[in-house]
């Protein structure tokens, strides 16, 4: 280690000072340590000594480790600062072991403020867009684990090492100070229960996030939520000790409260298709703002929660995974609200169908050219099987989107005509708006693509045939007399 020259020697004077840095008050020494360029506000991988995944500091790791080797006293003073001012994580996959975590001393564990453990991860981790947050978009995901199966040798080894490691770290952490994140994508409910068992031996944590599956699963989500809220410090738990009698509130107040739940999507628009049911769609990946004000972009706080995570923790989005994280407010289908009670279901239906716009999407999307219009209009199933008859009166906006097609259809859509006759008495026509969108040539098709010449030139007869196909879809709507728009 390079030894700095004393100031007296530097000035050519004889040094008579006998005081050292330990003669200074502790708070002054801590300020000196900070000025010594100690690593702070960094993501440190415990499996790679000295490595940083991402950093809020330009500090050189070598300076920190050299300082730790100066003396036992300096080591004892710098160590708590190092472990309390950085975020630590470990991926089991890196060394096929959690031994680096067990190598930490009790004092180091007591100083930890944030720890992330990835036991088994079957989707992209932090630092990359989560490959399950937007399943419709292809990602280059080649470094995934398979869901943990405890009947295999690998699964048993991971469980045994996790139990051993958890017993050690939870015996030494300080209560209510550690933010803890655990990812273990499992293959079965029993495996999830065994993975979560060690958590209940932990002292109260400052916060906790748990993920148990790559895809959303109600049973695994319930287990993750129960574990995370049980071991979190009591002053931050979300479940009140005494249940609130929501149904005793006045009707209008209940409706107003439900309008702030997932019954109303962030953009108040829901897309429906016969195969994927309900989903929401955003035209942009994000708004581009790091701290987007909620009063400007209301939807930004309701999606991509993993982008707001502090540190290399991974994705704990409940909409994309079987996970629970207090910070996740991303929209997901409000099925649990409909299952509370008969009384709640009636209120939920009213808010859901009244406050959202429903867009009927073609199976291949509105941008892909198809051979001809489908034999069955997608809105038929929506009106016949999806929307309850007693809830149709709440519908306010219904939009039908049809893809561009090559061959005009001669189908007269009799079933479409019949379903409109059957439901028109249930619809609140003066307050209902129906939009019909027939997609045409895409303006952004690249030169040389197969759709570049689509409908670029056509005869008058061909245009009239296409127009006839449009009218056969629209004409049955004429029987909805009194329609708002």
């Amino acid at each position: 280690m390079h030894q700095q020259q004393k100031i007296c020697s530097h000035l050519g004077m004889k040094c008579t000072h006998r005081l050292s840095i330990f003669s200074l008050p502790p708070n002054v020494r801590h300020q000196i340590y900070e000025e010594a360029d100690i690593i702070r506000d960094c993501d440190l991988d415990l499996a790679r000594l000295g490595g940083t995944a991402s950093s809020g500091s330009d500090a050189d790791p070598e300076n920190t480790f050299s300082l730790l080797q100066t003396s036992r006293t300096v080591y004892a003073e710098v160590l708590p600062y190092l472990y309390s001012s950085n975020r630590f994580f470990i991926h089991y996959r890196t060394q096929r072991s959690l031994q680096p975590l067990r190598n930490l001393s009790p004092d180091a564990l007591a100083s930890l403020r944030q720890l992330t453990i990835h036991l088994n991860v079957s989707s992209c981790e932090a630092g990359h867009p989560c490959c399950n947050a937007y399943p419709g978009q292809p990602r280059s995901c080649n470094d995934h684990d398979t869901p943990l199966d405890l009947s295999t040798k690998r699964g048993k080894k991971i469980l045994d090492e996790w139990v051993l490691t958890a017993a050690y770290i939870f015996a030494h952490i300080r209560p209510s100070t550690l933010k803890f994140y655990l990812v273990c994508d499992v293959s079965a409910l029993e495996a999830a229960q065994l993975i979560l068992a060690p958590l209940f031996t932990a002292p109260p944590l400052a916060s906790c996030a748990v993920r148990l599956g790559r895809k959303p699963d109600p049973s695994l989500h319930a287990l993750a939520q129960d574990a995370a809220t049980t071991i979190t410090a009591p002053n931050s738990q979300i479940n009140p000790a005494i249940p609130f009698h929501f149904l005793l509130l006045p009707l209008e107040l209940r409706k107003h409260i439900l309008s702030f739940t997932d019954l109303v999507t962030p953009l108040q628009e829901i897309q429906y298709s016969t195969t994927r049911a309900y989903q929401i769609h955003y035209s942009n990946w994000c708004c581009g703002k790091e701290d987007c004000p909620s009063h400007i972009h209301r939807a930004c706080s309701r999606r991509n929660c993993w982008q707001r995570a502090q540190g290399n923790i991974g994705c704990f989005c409940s909409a994309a995974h079987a996970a629970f994280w207090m910070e996740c407010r991303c929209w997901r289908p409000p099925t649990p609200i409909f299952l509370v009670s008969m009384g709640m279901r009636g209120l939920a239906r009213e808010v859901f169908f009244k406050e959202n716009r429903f867009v009927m999407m073609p199976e291949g999307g509105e941008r892909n050219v198809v051979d001809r219009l489908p034999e069955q209009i997608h809105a038929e199933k929506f009106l016949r099987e999806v929307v309850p008859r007693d809830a149709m009166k709440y519908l306010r906006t219904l939009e039908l989107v049809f893809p561009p097609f090559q061959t005009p259809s001669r189908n007269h859509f009799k079933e479409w005509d019949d379903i409109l006759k059957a439901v028109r008495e249930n619809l609140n026509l003066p307050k209902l708006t129906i939009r019909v969108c027939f997609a045409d040539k895409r303006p952004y098709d690249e030169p040389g693509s197969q759709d570049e010449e689509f409908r670029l030139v056509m005869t008058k007869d061909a245009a009239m045939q296409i127009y006839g196909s449009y009218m056969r879809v629209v004409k049955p709507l004429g029987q909805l007399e009194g329609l708002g728009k």
Side-chain angles (χ1 to χ4, degrees), residues 379-395 398 400 414-430 432 434 476-477 479-481 483:
E380 293 176 20
K381 182 177 180 180
F382 181 73
L383 294 174
R384 182 177 61 247
E385 302 177 14
V386 177
V387 185
R389 288 295 177 95
D390 59 351
M392 288 186 178
K393 59 187 176 184
Y394 303 128
L395 282 172
L398 187 63
L400 283 63
K414 185 176 184 305
E415 291 186 12
W416 173 231
D417 185 76
D418 292 341
I419 192 64
L420 289 177
K421 289 179 181 178
V423 303
R424 62 185 176 187
E425 299 299 327
N426 303 104
L427 297 170
N428 191 342
L429 294 177
L432 177 62
I434 296 182
L477 294 173
Q479 62 186 291
L480 302 180
E481 297 180 4
L483 192 64

Side-chain angles (χ1 to χ4, degrees), residues 110 172-178 203-206 233:
H172 299 293
I173 64 173
R174 291 178 181 171
S176 306
T177 60
L178 179 65
L205 302 175

Side-chain angles (χ1 to χ4, degrees), residues 314-439:
C315 183
F316 291 85
C317 179
S318 298
H321 306 287
F324 177 80
W325 182 33
M326 283 284 292
E327 300 300 320
C328 177
R329 298 181 61 245
C330 299
W331 183 87
R332 54 191 180 129
T335 304
I337 300 179
F338 288 97
L339 300 178
V340 171
S341 66
M342 291 294 292
M344 181 69 81
R345 183 188 301 177
L347 286 174
R349 283 177 175 174
E350 179 176 354
V351 173
F352 183 68
F353 290 109
K354 183 182 289 185
E355 300 296 333
N356 294 297
R357 301 184 298 274
F358 292 87
V359 182
M360 307 293 103
M361 296 297 296
E363 293 307 316
E366 77 281 10
R367 299 178 178 179
N368 295 320
V369 178
V370 298
D371 180 52
R372 62 178 68 243
L373 287 176
E375 295 295 321
Q376 184 183 57
I377 294 179
H378 37 35
E380 293 176 20
K381 182 177 180 180
F382 181 73
L383 294 174
R384 182 177 61 247
E385 302 177 14
V386 177
V387 185
R389 288 295 177 95
D390 59 351
M392 288 186 178
K393 59 187 176 184
Y394 303 128
L395 282 172
R396 293 296 179 264
T397 303
L398 187 63
E399 183 171 334
L400 283 63
V401 179
F402 296 90
F405 54 87
Q406 297 278 6
T407 306
S409 174
R410 298 187 180 277
N411 189 347
H412 289 278
F413 302 106
K414 185 176 184 305
E415 291 186 12
W416 173 231
D417 185 76
D418 292 341
I419 192 64
L420 289 177
K421 289 179 181 178
V423 303
R424 62 185 176 187
E425 299 299 327
N426 303 104
L427 297 170
N428 191 342
L429 294 177
K431 294 186 178 181
L432 177 62
T433 297
I434 296 182
R435 300 189 181 112
V436 182
C437 175
F438 293 100

